[in-house]
Structures are given as C-alpha cells and as structure tokens.
Amino acid sequence: MRVTVRVYWLLLVAGFRRQSTYRLAALSGLVTNVTFGLLKVAVLLGAVRAAGGEVGGYDVAQMSTYIWLSQAMLGSVNFWGASEFAERIKDGQVAVDFLRPLDVQAATVTVEVGQGLFAFLPRGVPQLAIGGLVVGMTWPRSVVLVVLGVVSLLMAVVISAATVYLVATAGFWLVETRGVQLVYMVMSGFLAGLFVPISLFPRWLELVAQVTPCPSMLMYPVTILADRVDVAGACVLLAVQGFWLVVVGGAGQVLTRAGRRRLEIQGG
C-alpha cells in the first residue's frame, strides 16, 4: 500500500514539475485570463449595479469573487477537452501504458492533477491578488469554510481531469476525437458557470446544469469561497462533488476496460 501511494505521489510531483517547464505559456495564459477577467468585471459588475446592488443573489463583492476565482481556476480546470491520453490512444502508445503495473486511469488523472496544481501558482494566485487589491473581493468569515472551499477546489481539479479522461477514451472507438473535445469544450464551461453564475440561468437551465458534473468543476468551490453558503451548505456541495467523482471515476474504469478489449494496434 505504501509503495502504491508513493508511486502516485511521484506521478503527481512529475505532473507538477512537467508543467513548471512551460513558464512562458503560463505568463501568456495569465495575461489572457486577466484581460478577460477585466472584461467580465465591466459587464457583470455593471449588471449588479444596474440591478440595484444585487443580481441572482450576488452583491458586488461576491460577484468580484466569482469573477476572479473562476478566472484563477482556468489554468487548473480543463474545460478544453485536450488530453495527452487521447493522443496516446491514437498513436498506439497506450499499449505501453497497459503493460505498466498501474491503473491507467488513475495514473493519467494523477499526472494531470499535478499539472493543474502548478498552473494555479503562476496563473491563479496573481489573479486573486488583482481581484482582492484592485477590484475588491469577499471571503468566508469562517476558517472552516475556507478549508472546505480549498478542499472543494482540489476536488474540482480532480473531477475535471477525470472527466477529460472520459472524453479521451472515445479514441478507443473513434479515429479522431476532436469533435468530441469540441462538444465538451462548448458545454462544460457554460454549464460549469464559467461565463455567468448558474444561479443567473433560467430555472430549467440551472437544473440541467446541476444534473451534470460541470458545476462541480467550478461553481461549487466558487460558491463556498464567495461566502454564499454556511458550513452545512458547503458540506452538501462537497457531497455532490464526491458523488460525481465516484460516477465519473467508475465510468472511466468501465470505458477503459471496454476500450482495452476494443483496442487494435497495427491490426493486432
């Protein structure tokens, strides 16, 4: 058991270190995220003020927290659907993965989580600093809520990586998965609340979003850290995230086993 935990820890660290080599990409990502963050500030804070100081239950400070925290998570949460695992299926290198004494899904997700955790440092932290110092943000008044919010944020990164793994497994049956990735990219960010909080959706659309894992990738940690729920409400959101982690993880196991039986390398 200790050996297994150590191996996955090393994979997590490897993903973290690997992402740290792309420093220029991190800088360009930061500039892009800040630019769009300022645009969202102009539009969404303008909407809050035009509505009399509150819209969809968000006041100015909470909306600012939503904007900058959701922007800060963009480097860590994969809403684009791209995955190295999809390429490994396409070029046949996944056959080597199946020969390793590790669970393919767990190893792949662990590496991507490591990459996402690093991305939060050069891209996420500066944006939170900008939001807090320049625009103004609100944070939970309870230390317990802060801890629960951080746990929720970490779970969001894991759920995202596990969901993108599901997208990649389509490669076992399809020659090209870019179409599936494009559908995922369009739907996941919207339903996660990347553009506007899902509480601003029409009620029917909010319900549609809530029956998908998408809000667990962004909206729920933002809701906790924006001080919009109490401890009990935060625990409920964490329970929902745990549910989706089990569902997505289980689906990944099923599709991996089915895909392994379906896989053909050089006609074999």
Side-chain angles (χ1 to χ4, degrees), residues 51-198:
E54 183 177 300
V55 61
Y58 285 82
D59 58 23
V60 170
Q62 289 177 331
M63 186 64 80
S64 178
T65 302
Y66 156 76
I67 292 169
W68 290 110
L69 187 53
S70 61
Q71 289 297 112
M73 292 175 64
L74 272 180
S76 302
V77 177
N78 188 341
F79 287 125
W80 324 119
S83 169
E84 182 183 351
F85 186 65
E87 296 300 319
R88 294 183 68 82
I89 295 174
K90 186 175 180 180
D91 62 22
Q93 293 185 55
V94 70
V96 178
D97 297 332
F98 283 129
L99 294 176
R100 296 189 175 109
L102 289 173
D103 182 271
V104 173
Q105 179 191 24
T108 302
V109 170
T110 300
V111 172
E112 181 155 344
V113 169
Q115 294 174 329
L117 292 179
F118 171 80
F120 195 78
L121 298 179
R123 294 178 62 174
V125 173
Q127 291 183 86
L128 293 180
I130 292 172
L133 298 176
V134 179
V135 182
M137 297 169 58
T138 186
W139 294 102
R141 289 158 288 183
S142 165
V143 176
V144 175
L145 277 175
V146 173
V147 173
L148 293 177
V150 172
V151 172
S152 179
L153 192 153
L154 293 175
M155 290 184 67
V157 176
V158 177
I159 293 169
S160 166
T163 306
V164 169
Y165 178 89
L166 284 183
V167 175
T169 59
F172 288 121
W173 291 271
L174 303 176
V175 175
E176 182 57 70
T177 61
R178 283 181 293 183
V180 180
Q181 292 175 8
L182 180 60
V183 172
Y184 172 81
M185 180 179 69
V186 172
M187 297 298 296
S188 62
F190 178 73
L191 295 178
L194 177 60
F195 309 112
V196 296
I198 64 173

Side-chain angles (χ1 to χ4, degrees), residues 28-48:
S28 63
L30 172 61
V31 172
T32 302
N33 291 161
V34 170
T35 300
F36 280 96
L38 293 173
L39 289 174
K40 289 172 72 174
V41 165
V43 173
L44 293 179
L45 295 192
V48 173

